Amino acid sequence: EPGPCSPSCTLVWIPDKEEVWQSAEITKNYKAGDRFLHVQLEDGTELSYPVDLAALPPLRNPDILVGENDLTALSYLHEPAVLHNLKIRFVESKLIYTYSGIILVAINPYKQLPIYGDAIIHAYSGQNMGDMDPHIFAVAEEAYKQMARNNKNQSIIVSGESGAGKTVSARYTMRYFATVSKSSGNAHVEDKVLASNPITEAVGNAKTTRNDNSSRFGKYTEISFDRGYQIIGANMRTYLLEKSRVVFQSENERNYHIFYQLCASAMQPEYAHLKLGSAEEFNYTCMGGSTVIEGVDDRANMLETQKTFSLLGLKGDFQMDVFKMLAAILHLGNVEIAAVGDERSSISMEDKHLSIFCELLEVNCDKMCRWLCHRKIVTTSETVVKPMTRAQAVNARDALAKKIYSHLFDFIVERINQALQFSGKQHTFIGVLDIYGFETFDVNSFEQFCINYANEKLQQQFNLHVFKLEQEEYMKEDIPWTLIDFYDNQPVIDLIEAKMGILELLDEECLLPHGKDENWLQKLYNNFVNKNALFEKPRMSNTSFIIQHFADKVEYKCEGFLEKNRDTVHEVLIEILKESKFHLCANFFQDSPVSASPFSSAINIKSARPVLKSPNKQLRMTVGSKVLHKAQIVKILNSYTPIDDFEKRVTPSFVRKVQAMLNNREDVPQLMLDTKHLFQVTFPFTPSPHALELIQVPSSFKLGFLTRV
């Protein structure tokens, strides 16, 4: 129980609107029952701060501890202490890295620092993590050493909000591995692994208001090592490319870098047949009104992109095929669709951009002109051709552009993976996960919803590894221990993914023939307003909803959620592209495209939730259900938790005890209704570390620390 606060130089932190927290010194003894704490701020201001015994202001660490390179060394570890320590290191000592146990905290300085050269890499090579100053290379060295010493696969997870520096950090870890594990025999394999970064950034990164080089997709790179712990190859999986950016950018944002690189090279003779001009001339690249990034030379970057393609063995013909597809997308965006009355639309047969689009992709121009403005509705008895309004035709055109780009992106990743394939057997690997950061903009839509949901799952992993597992260990050993009250974000994950959660209601609405964004939103209001503390309806809007995420409150606009979740293109347009004489285009739209890589097809992830089956078999899985049912990111992290580490915490006897308790319970029918308790778990005593057993755990047992699959 807190005793009286003595004024003998007791320093505390007081919340402040401007500074977030301000340091203050207690000037008068505080006794239980006092309603005010008398303090003096650093600028000399005297203040009576209202308090109660249950919520006294956090104490400040003694000055001798401030600036520690590991946050766990602080006497008081709370928000103001962490922020102050990071600020002192960054502002006064010009240090961007600080440890928090096994986690490295990095502050983005938004400028190049001279701390990443080969000399620094060799200085960290072979050293222990605590013996050197905090650095991204120390984390990479720790992963490499653990792999080599224990023959165990490792994963490095790079997370943080948008613009925090994740992509650059992931790049540095990969460069570290490439430098310390250079093989004498396999020429340039490390260079090839590193060459995958500029290419995926060209086609998957863009300028946003938060970040000039924002990753608009998630990437997990698995770097493979042989028995001598030298790199022999790599493989990449990508997640949830933000396709809407191809056809729409907010103010001061850009489309994907590759479009601007191509437009900047339009005057070069080898690109004359693409009939391109400057980025200002194309709807899909000038929408944000910001076609140039300060300090970035798109033409020079185009040469760099071509050079890295060539380094991977993807030569001129391949590159020109890719550029043809990109140019076709830009021309498609400039196709003029005119309204004919309220119900119909049309495209002129003389439309210059449509004819260039059809010429580049070698498809029938008459058919494309007709079917961009009409759709075919097939019923059991007849086929009806229905004209589309201008808005519907524009949507159909944009959906086609997004689909082409999405296929092109997957194709490029597939070819990179083929270039990084290796003969022989992988002995071990290190995975590097670089995923889009939590973000909130003036207008947030389906893309931000998916990105922030993925970040909630990552945050849960962070909680699991930092707090839950550690506390379970203390409790198991009967060590006296005060439980840290950390923010567990399972409730917000349940709001999104549980039965009758936001995603399931979205999928249900998508299955209805006349499903609408507004109807889905109304269902959310009915189910969650005043019933779930993490969900709110904005006061001034009937078209938005608010979710309290772990990082911030975010308001999402419902418009476009259904269309983006369905992710469909009119079948007739697909048929036209299937008939293309341009082999790459035709291949993209065949019925069963080849799996992106043997790596991705081998993974079979079961879901504890049943998948909503559509009566229409042709309806592909929605985007939301892909995120939900695959849960690939979390699956990866769980699969590669070192098994002996896991065994220390969850012993077979403990699990058997839980199962015995479950078998003896009487309230089976009630529990069966509670789907929260049903999940698959990786158990250390099963024959293979990745084998799965399905157990039913009622939520009242609070066994969230078991590794969920």
Side-chain angles (χ1 to χ4, degrees), residues 102-264:
I102 61 166
I103 288 153
L104 179 74
V105 181
I107 294 175
N108 191 345
Y110 288 100
K111 62 180 179 185
Q112 291 295 328
L113 297 182
I115 57 171
Y116 302 105
D118 283 0
I120 309 274
I121 289 180
H122 294 305
Y124 276 87
S125 180
Q127 300 296 320
N128 289 324
M129 198 165 164
D131 296 346
M132 303 281 286
D133 284 339
H135 199 292
I136 188 78
F137 291 159
V139 175
E141 169 60 25
E142 189 65 18
Y144 186 70
K145 195 163 57 201
Q146 293 278 358
M147 174 189 71
R149 187 185 290 158
N150 305 323
N151 279 333
K152 290 234 171 92
N153 300 327
Q154 303 290 314
S155 277
I156 290 177
I157 295 132
V158 189
S159 68
E161 67 176 333
S162 184
K166 295 178 297 301
T167 297
V168 175
S169 298
R171 220 187 284 155
Y172 284 138
T173 59
M174 288 170 70
R175 213 183 91 226
Y176 185 87
F177 300 135
T179 306
V180 299
S181 66
K182 264 205 161 63
S183 61
S184 49
N186 200 344
H188 302 310
V189 66
E190 305 85 7
D191 297 336
K192 284 184 174 180
V193 169
L194 295 181
S196 64
N197 287 324
I199 294 175
T200 53
E201 285 180 31
V203 296
N205 287 30
K207 176 187 187 287
T208 68
T209 52
R210 301 284 296 270
N211 181 359
D212 285 349
N213 186 35
S214 179
S215 299
R216 310 313 298 164
F217 69 109
K219 180 171 74 171
Y220 174 75
T221 308
E222 196 171 278
I223 302 166
S224 303
F225 297 85
D226 60 15
R227 288 190 170 277
Y229 304 105
Q230 293 178 326
I231 291 183
I232 51 171
N235 209 307
M236 199 174 11
R237 297 180 206 180
T238 57
Y239 307 94
L240 269 184
L241 176 73
E242 185 188 44
K243 288 181 284 198
S244 63
R245 183 163 297 271
V246 177
V247 301
F248 173 78
Q249 306 93 46
S250 299
E251 193 179 349
N252 290 324
E253 297 201 351
R254 294 208 317 176
N255 205 326
Y256 291 105
H257 297 323
I258 190 73
F259 287 114
Y260 301 90
Q261 294 177 11
L262 194 55
C263 287

Side-chain angles (χ1 to χ4, degrees), residues 82-100:
V82 168
L83 292 175
H84 182 62
N85 201 69
L86 294 174
K87 180 181 174 183
I88 292 294
R89 286 177 63 78
F90 184 76
V91 175
E92 294 181 11
S93 309
K94 303 286 184 277
L95 297 168
I96 65 167
Y97 292 121
T98 307
Y99 290 131
S100 176

Side-chain angles (χ1 to χ4, degrees), residues 3 65 85 89 96 136 146 189 197 204 258 308 318 340 348 352 445 491 506 517 534 537 560 595 667:
L65 290 179
N85 201 69
R89 286 177 63 78
I96 65 167
I136 188 78
Q146 293 278 358
V189 66
N197 287 324
I258 190 73
T308 47
F318 167 86
V340 180
S348 163
K352 177 180 74 166
S445 186
L506 179 63
D517 293 320
L534 301 170
K537 176 187 180 300
S595 161
D667 53 349

Side-chain angles (χ1 to χ4, degrees), residues 630-656:
K630 294 221 167 175
Q632 291 155 307
I633 299 160
V634 176
K635 165 79 176 180
I636 288 165
L637 303 185
N638 287 338
S639 298
Y640 307 139
T641 300
I643 211 71
D644 62 343
D645 197 38
F646 193 68
E647 200 156 11
K648 281 180 204 158
R649 295 188 165 99
V650 184
T651 60
S653 61
F654 166 78
V655 177
R656 289 192 188 111

Side-chain angles (χ1 to χ4, degrees), residues 283-450:
N283 293 332
Y284 285 167
T285 45
C286 71
M287 207 173 284
S290 174
T291 59
V292 178
I293 299 174
E294 193 181 335
V296 171
D297 182 342
D298 287 314
R299 170 80 189 110
N301 286 352
M302 178 64 160
L303 295 172
E304 191 59 34
T305 301
Q306 289 177 282
K307 201 165 87 185
T308 47
F309 267 135
S310 299
L311 183 60
L312 287 165
L314 305 170
K315 297 287 194 282
D317 288 353
F318 167 86
Q319 293 177 33
M320 199 47 80
D321 283 352
V322 167
F323 300 149
K324 268 173 77 174
M325 298 296 288
L326 292 166
I329 290 170
L330 290 181
H331 286 294
L332 181 60
N334 275 21
V335 170
E336 289 284 335
I337 301 173
V340 180
D342 292 340
E343 300 297 316
R344 309 170 73 88
S345 58
S346 74
I347 297 169
S348 163
M349 287 299 293
E350 312 299 312
D351 191 295
K352 177 180 74 166
H353 292 287
L354 180 67
S355 61
I356 299 171
F357 170 80
C358 295
E359 187 184 306
L360 288 171
L361 297 192
E362 299 179 45
V363 294
N364 184 304
C365 201
D366 294 348
K367 285 186 182 176
M368 189 56 75
C369 185
R370 172 172 166 76
W371 291 108
L372 276 171
C373 299
H374 295 80
R375 58 184 167 153
K376 196 184 279 186
I377 298 169
V378 181
T379 65
T380 46
S381 55
E382 59 180 345
T383 299
V384 181
V385 174
K386 196 176 175 199
M388 289 196 278
T389 63
R390 183 178 181 279
Q392 288 171 334
V394 167
N395 277 341
R397 179 199 65 189
D398 290 350
L400 186 62
K402 289 188 288 186
K403 185 63 86 179
I404 294 170
Y405 192 81
S406 163
H407 279 305
L408 183 64
F409 180 84
D410 290 343
F411 171 69
I412 291 169
V413 170
E414 178 192 338
R415 292 302 297 269
I416 292 172
N417 279 339
Q418 285 172 7
L420 298 178
Q421 268 178 4
F422 47 90
S423 55
K425 197 164 185 293
Q426 169 184 283
H427 178 58
T428 47
F429 68 77
I430 297 178
V432 180
L433 181 69
D434 167 23
I435 187 149
Y436 23 55
F438 179 89
E439 62 185 27
T440 171
F441 297 112
D442 291 340
V443 177
N444 300 289
S445 186
F446 182 70
E447 295 77 17
Q448 282 68 45
F449 177 78
C450 290

Side-chain angles (χ1 to χ4, degrees), residues 1-5 29-37 51-54 56:
E1 189 171 311
C5 286
N29 273 357
Y30 171 81
K31 296 183 290 297
D34 287 356
R35 293 177 55 200
F36 292 94
L37 188 63
V51 290
D52 62 57
L53 198 57
L56 291 171

